Amino acid sequence: MTFRNSCRPLLLLSLFWSSLVGRAYGILPTAGIDIQPEFGEPYSFTVSQASFGSYPSMSNPGAVGNDATNPQYMLSVPPADNPYLCSNATIPSSLYENHVLLVPRGGCTFERKALNAQQLLSAAGIIIYGTLESRYDINETTQDIVFPKKYYDYDCNHGIAKVPVSEISFNPKPYNAQINDPLLSGDHAGNLCITHSEDHLQSCPSKACLLTGETDVVQDETNMKHEFMVACCAWDLHVWLYADPSIPQDVPVDIPAMYVTMEQGQTLLRDVVNSKQVLITMYARYRPSINYSVVLIWAMGVFVCAVAAYMSANDYRVATKHILARNRGYDKVSTTNGDADTTRAQRNDGRTRSRSPQTRSNGNSSNNGDNLDQLEAMPASYQTQESGESMELGAEHACGFIIMASSGLLILFFLKIYNFVKFMYAFGCSGAVTQVLTYPLVCKVMNSLNIQNRIVLRTTVMDIGHVTLHEMIALIGGYGLGMAWLFVAFMTKHPEEVTFFWVTQDIMGSCMCIMFLSIIKLNSIRVASILLIVAFVYDIFFVFVTPLIFNGDSVMITVATSGGPPKADPSWCEKYPDDENCQGGDPLPMLLTVPRIGDYQGGASLLGLGDIVLPGLLLSFAARLDAAKHLVGLMGGGSGTLHSNTCPTDSMMGSKLCCGLSSLCNGGYFMPLVVAYGIGLSMANAAVYLMSMGQPALLYLVPCCLGTMTFMAYQRNELQMLWDGPKTIKAADTLVYGEEQNDGRHVPLPTSSEHGGGGGGYQNSHLPGEFEATSVPSAVEDQINHR
């Protein structure tokens, strides 16, 4: 049974999708205040800041009570003749020089209040608190009362009551706060909304009501008519203190301005009234300058890319380990004495070689015994039968991938079938998890418990084949994990905040990358250059150019964020998160994610799988090239150690260590490319930090990885060889998989047992069969002769 079929479409679909994500939940309190009343314990509030004025410094992490890094001020209310600070007729005074003024909302703009507090009273800051009164207005033309707006200011679904009109006052217009506020707010028996509501405002968080202006006349048993007005639960949330465009820009506000809710404001007012002195400290909420999640996502990306690329050359390493083991004496090779067709000859170098009277199909005799003698020691058991799922990329595939990825991206952009992508991703990744993680784990555990593997399901459906016990358990584990992830994805509002969800997503994404690089392979730097350069242009085009085409909408960002950021105002989305205009912003799952650590604003550091597998193809090519050189070198009688002929002598640099540090002397390409990938990913993260916006990582990864390998190949005089496709990889493929046929498949090389009877070749009692020297194809011979 094969697990790869279920993931292959997703591998191709997700090749080029990266993620640049942002989402708005509502007005987020970005500042805090510490209050020290004269009586009672100190306490703190989180508050929202204004878009104008100065910003206090950040608090220390873990600070308790008053923050010692910021100054303390007296908390006071404005003078009685200007309680809203909307009039500039107040005589300037310095009595409030070290005071923060607690001012009610309404009467004028937020910035006008702050400017008057600064210019007239020399205040050190201003805190504006919400009020019920501020939601009423008066029509200057008709003098009619303008009542609060439904849904924006109140919501009857959270609480509704009919209050007697005789008990409330609208004189003076539009609203008498002194009389009405105690009757319409507060969690007490005097609140008319609580007493006249069926559920006593149990569903109203603010425990305050706004009058809607709708009236109802009820006739009692004595035929007396009573007028009632409908009141509904008021919203009490943080608001954004926007600037006043009518204030000249040459008159700046230099003091901090903050906003607190009605409930917070009432608490502060009580302390000011009941205490002679209330001290307050204003500060910005702590955020780490560099979040550790960035380091973790960087390390995860480098690790997954390096491991996936390294594992793609595993077949070569298995064969190499066998040769090394035999050379150390773990495998003994015996010969058949008296065989008339096979003789042993001692060459003048003292090593034993074999000869065979058979000739190659091309008519050449095996006159390369000095180089090919170890090739016949390659056991048939290490010739891997290809599954047919491996795919070698050519230039036409690179262009085809770009066309397919662009088409998929545009289809998602216009049709918005994001849930379908989640389903397909979960299904495909479940197969990858099964192949990479659960199946090897199950085999290891079952073997350690001596539980025999057996066929539990016989089927001829497609190419599934018979299913064994190990495979069945692995399938249940892999697909069970994927389905659990999918359940959380569809049933949770913001699943990325659930630890199980993002950890499982990272596991599935990592397995997908490993599976991808085990299937998709490059065999020349020419194809790698075409693929990475086209992907480089693709990434930049769909991130930065498409907004010029689609009315400011970036196709990449829109798709990556499941339709783009919410269209509605953040304050509206905070009240009604299920509104269709508040949807979007949730990232598609084809990425690795780590939530930001210690950041009250939340969010996550993200890395698209395309930013791993695309450079990973080049790293995989480098890993396979290094492993192929090692294998072919051993088969040719050498040590297999990789060296570079570009190392300067001691007289040139004083020490070969310097060259080693430059990654030019170890002879390999893989490790230098891993370092280059890490540097490129660091540059991408630095760009995000410096520019405060998402970046296409390929913009930095492609030059670093492709440039590093090109430069190293040029320095080693191997650029032309890598550009055309190294014969070393072809030779290694022939040794490991067999002779390549016209259809691209490999047929295992013939072994001594296949020649029958006492035919030539070594006979080994420990291994099933050995390659004959005469059966080694010319590609291998050419590579060894080249050495």
Side-chain angles (χ1 to χ4, degrees):
M1 177 181 177
T2 178
F3 301 113
R4 295 187 176 190
N5 292 335
S6 62
C7 357
R8 190 170 182 177
L10 263 296
L11 295 177
L12 305 181
L13 183 64
S14 63
L15 180 61
F16 297 105
W17 290 349
S18 306
S19 294
L20 306 168
V21 180
R23 180 176 64 250
Y25 290 108
I27 304 299
L28 192 65
T30 58
I33 54 175
D34 289 343
I35 303 98
Q36 177 64 65
E38 183 179 8
F39 308 104
E41 297 295 327
Y43 57 93
S44 300
F45 285 145
T46 56
V47 300
S48 55
Q49 295 187 88
S51 60
F52 52 85
S54 61
Y55 295 92
S57 60
M58 191 178 299
S59 64
N60 292 326
V64 178
N66 292 338
D67 188 359
T69 62
N70 291 338
Q72 286 186 326
Y73 300 106
M74 289 281 294
L75 183 63
S76 304
V77 295
D81 63 343
N82 196 4
Y84 296 94
L85 287 186
C86 290
S87 173
N88 56 7
T90 300
I91 300 176
S93 172
S94 60
L95 295 177
Y96 297 90
E97 187 172 348
N98 289 317
H99 291 237
V100 171
L101 297 180
L102 184 61
V103 184
R105 180 183 181 182
C108 58
T109 63
F110 299 123
E111 190 173 7
R112 176 62 63 185
K113 294 175 183 288
L115 185 62
N116 288 338
Q118 172 184 302
Q119 292 183 337
L120 300 179
L121 304 177
S122 302
I126 183 174
I127 295 177
I128 301 172
Y129 63 93
T131 62
L132 295 176
E133 179 186 13
S134 63
R135 311 324 300 143
Y136 299 85
D137 203 350
I138 188 169
N139 188 315
E140 297 293 340
T141 303
T142 63
Q143 295 299 306
D144 292 335
I145 299 174
V146 179
F147 286 90
K149 294 182 179 179
K150 186 177 182 180
Y151 299 125
Y152 285 92
D153 298 320
Y154 64 87
D155 191 338
C156 296
N157 294 321
H158 293 286
I160 186 171
K162 293 183 178 180
V163 299
V165 175
S166 59
E167 297 190 35
I168 56 179
S169 173
F170 294 99
N171 186 24
K173 289 185 178 181
Y175 179 87
N176 190 323
Q178 187 175 0
I179 295 177
N180 295 340
D181 280 1
L183 299 176
L184 298 176
S185 62
D187 191 5
H188 54 81
N191 188 335
L192 296 178
C193 291
I194 292 180
T195 57
H196 289 80
S197 173
E198 293 183 358
D199 64 349
H200 304 290
L201 295 187
Q202 293 298 319
S203 301
C204 181
S206 67
K207 294 296 185 289
C209 287
L210 286 171
L211 300 170
T212 64
E214 299 179 13
T215 58
D216 186 17
V217 178
V218 178
Q219 188 172 352
D220 62 14
E221 297 177 354
T222 61
N223 295 326
M224 291 289 295
K225 294 182 178 180
H226 303 277
E227 186 177 11
F228 293 86
M229 183 172 288
V230 177
C232 293
C233 179
W235 288 112
D236 188 19
L237 304 173
H238 289 280
V239 300
W240 178 252
L241 302 184
Y242 48 85
D244 185 351
S246 65
I247 297 178
Q249 295 184 356
D250 58 350
V251 186
V253 175
D254 298 325
I255 61 174
M258 299 181 177
Y259 181 88
V260 296
T261 64
M262 290 188 290
E263 183 181 6
Q264 293 172 335
Q266 293 302 314
T267 302
L268 295 175
L269 280 175
R270 283 196 297 268
D271 284 334
V272 171
V273 173
N274 298 330
S275 304
K276 295 182 179 179
Q277 175 178 283
V278 177
L279 299 179
I280 186 172
T281 303
M282 311 171 73
Y283 54 88
R285 295 176 67 182
Y286 174 77
R287 294 188 69 198
S289 55
I290 299 179
N291 202 290
Y292 291 113
S293 64
V294 176
V295 180
L296 292 177
I297 200 70
W298 174 87
M300 187 186 302
V302 175
F303 176 78
V304 171
C305 186
V307 169
Y310 183 83
M311 291 179 65
S312 68
N314 188 58
D315 288 346
Y316 297 164
R317 293 190 188 90
V318 170
T320 301
K321 288 180 180 179
H322 167 74
I323 299 301
L324 290 174
R326 201 202 63 170
N327 288 348
R328 295 189 182 106
Y330 294 117
D331 293 323
K332 303 296 184 180
V333 180
S334 61
T335 61
T336 304
N337 295 326
D339 192 331
D341 294 329
T342 305
T343 62
R344 286 295 223 175
Q346 293 289 338
R347 307 196 56 91
N348 56 10
D349 59 0
R351 290 189 292 173
T352 302
R353 309 295 178 189
S354 67
R355 295 178 302 176
S356 173
Q358 299 178 13
T359 58
R360 299 183 190 277
S361 60
N362 60 7
N364 295 331
S365 62
S366 62
N367 57 0
N368 293 307
D370 288 341
N371 291 328
L372 300 180
D373 65 314
Q374 294 201 41
L375 293 177
E376 57 186 321
M378 185 71 174
S381 61
Y382 280 88
Q383 295 184 49
T384 303
Q385 179 68 32
E386 288 188 310
S387 65
E389 290 298 323
S390 179
M391 178 179 180
E392 180 181 333
L393 290 186
E396 65 280 4
H397 297 112
C399 297
F401 273 173
I402 293 295
I403 294 174
M404 183 179 64
S406 301
S407 301
L409 206 61
L410 291 173
I411 288 174
L412 287 178
F413 179 75
F414 288 109
L415 300 184
K416 306 184 187 306
I417 49 176
Y418 306 117
N419 288 335
F420 174 75
V421 174
K422 292 180 181 179
F423 176 81
M424 291 296 296
Y425 182 79
F427 182 76
C429 283
S430 296
V433 171
T434 302
Q435 175 74 14
V436 176
L437 189 61
T438 60
Y439 183 72
L441 182 61
V442 168
C443 290
K444 188 171 183 178
V445 172
M446 300 291 274
N447 291 335
S448 65
L449 298 176
N450 295 322
I451 299 178
Q452 185 178 3
N453 194 19
R454 65 183 186 277
I455 296 177
V456 296
L457 178 64
R458 298 180 183 274
T459 177
T460 58
V461 177
M462 297 176 61
D463 60 347
I464 294 179
H466 301 319
V467 181
T468 66
L469 175 63
H470 292 183
E471 291 172 342
M472 180 63 72
I473 297 175
L475 283 169
I476 294 174
Y479 281 86
L481 184 66
M483 295 306 102
W485 176 90
L486 191 63
F487 178 82
V488 175
F490 283 116
M491 301 304 294
T492 307
K493 186 63 181 177
H494 295 293
E496 67 279 0
E497 298 177 353
V498 180
T499 302
F500 167 81
F501 181 85
W502 67 264
V503 170
T504 303
Q505 179 174 310
D506 288 347
I507 293 174
M508 294 195 305
S510 300
C511 292
M512 177 68 84
C513 292
I514 293 174
M515 179 66 70
F516 184 97
L517 295 184
S518 71
I519 297 177
I520 311 296
K521 297 180 179 179
L522 298 174
N523 279 345
S524 75
I525 201 173
R526 177 179 66 88
V527 177
S529 300
I530 295 174
L531 178 65
L532 292 179
I533 291 175
V534 172
F536 175 82
V537 176
Y538 161 94
D539 222 13
I540 294 176
F541 174 81
F542 279 102
V543 173
F544 297 117
V545 179
T546 52
L548 305 177
I549 302 175
F550 297 105
N551 298 322
D553 293 331
S554 169
V555 171
M556 180 73 78
I557 295 178
T558 300
V559 172
T561 55
S562 302
K567 300 178 178 61
D569 183 83
S571 61
W572 175 266
C573 292
E574 186 175 8
K575 302 167 187 173
Y576 305 103
D578 295 328
D579 187 277
E580 61 177 3
N581 291 321
C582 296
Q583 305 307 307
D586 294 320
L588 284 181
M590 293 174 292
L591 47 81
L592 301 182
T593 176
V594 176
R596 290 174 184 160
I597 301 173
D599 192 338
Y600 70 90
Q601 292 190 0
S605 297
L606 309 172
L607 180 63
L609 298 187
D611 298 328
I612 296 177
V613 297
L614 279 174
L617 287 170
L618 187 61
L619 269 69
S620 172
F621 173 65
R624 293 169 54 243
L625 177 61
D626 292 349
K629 284 183 176 180
H630 194 187
L631 174 61
V632 174
L634 285 173
M635 298 298 287
S639 64
T641 304
L642 301 180
H643 295 285
S644 172
N645 58 4
T646 59
C647 275
T649 61
D650 291 346
S651 59
M652 295 174 61
M653 293 190 64
S655 173
K656 289 188 177 181
L657 177 63
C658 296
C659 187
L661 293 176
S662 66
S663 299
L664 293 176
C665 290
N666 65 351
Y669 288 93
F670 176 64
M671 285 308 300
L673 257 66
V674 172
V675 174
Y677 180 85
I679 293 174
L681 197 56
S682 298
M683 293 171 61
N685 287 332
V688 172
Y689 175 76
L690 295 174
M691 300 180 185
S692 298
M693 63 176 296
Q695 297 291 312
L698 293 180
L699 181 64
Y700 308 91
L701 292 172
V702 170
C704 286
C705 295
L706 187 59
T708 297
M709 191 164 193
T710 303
F711 175 76
M712 292 179 64
Y714 175 80
Q715 290 291 315
R716 297 173 178 178
N717 296 320
E718 295 179 341
L719 184 57
Q720 187 62 46
M721 182 262 291
L722 296 185
W723 182 264
D724 297 332
K727 293 183 178 180
T728 311
I729 291 182
K730 296 179 181 178
D733 284 344
T734 302
L735 290 171
V736 175
Y737 306 122
E739 188 81 65
E740 184 176 5
Q741 304 299 302
N742 293 332
D743 60 359
R745 295 180 177 271
H746 290 82
V747 176
L749 297 177
T751 65
S752 58
S753 61
E754 294 172 357
H755 293 291
Y762 295 146
Q763 299 297 322
N764 190 327
S765 61
H766 302 289
L767 298 171
E770 307 289 350
F771 288 127
E772 291 204 35
T774 55
S775 69
V776 177
S778 58
V780 179
E781 182 180 349
D782 293 342
Q783 179 60 31
I784 295 175
N785 289 337
H786 178 72
R787 292 178 64 256

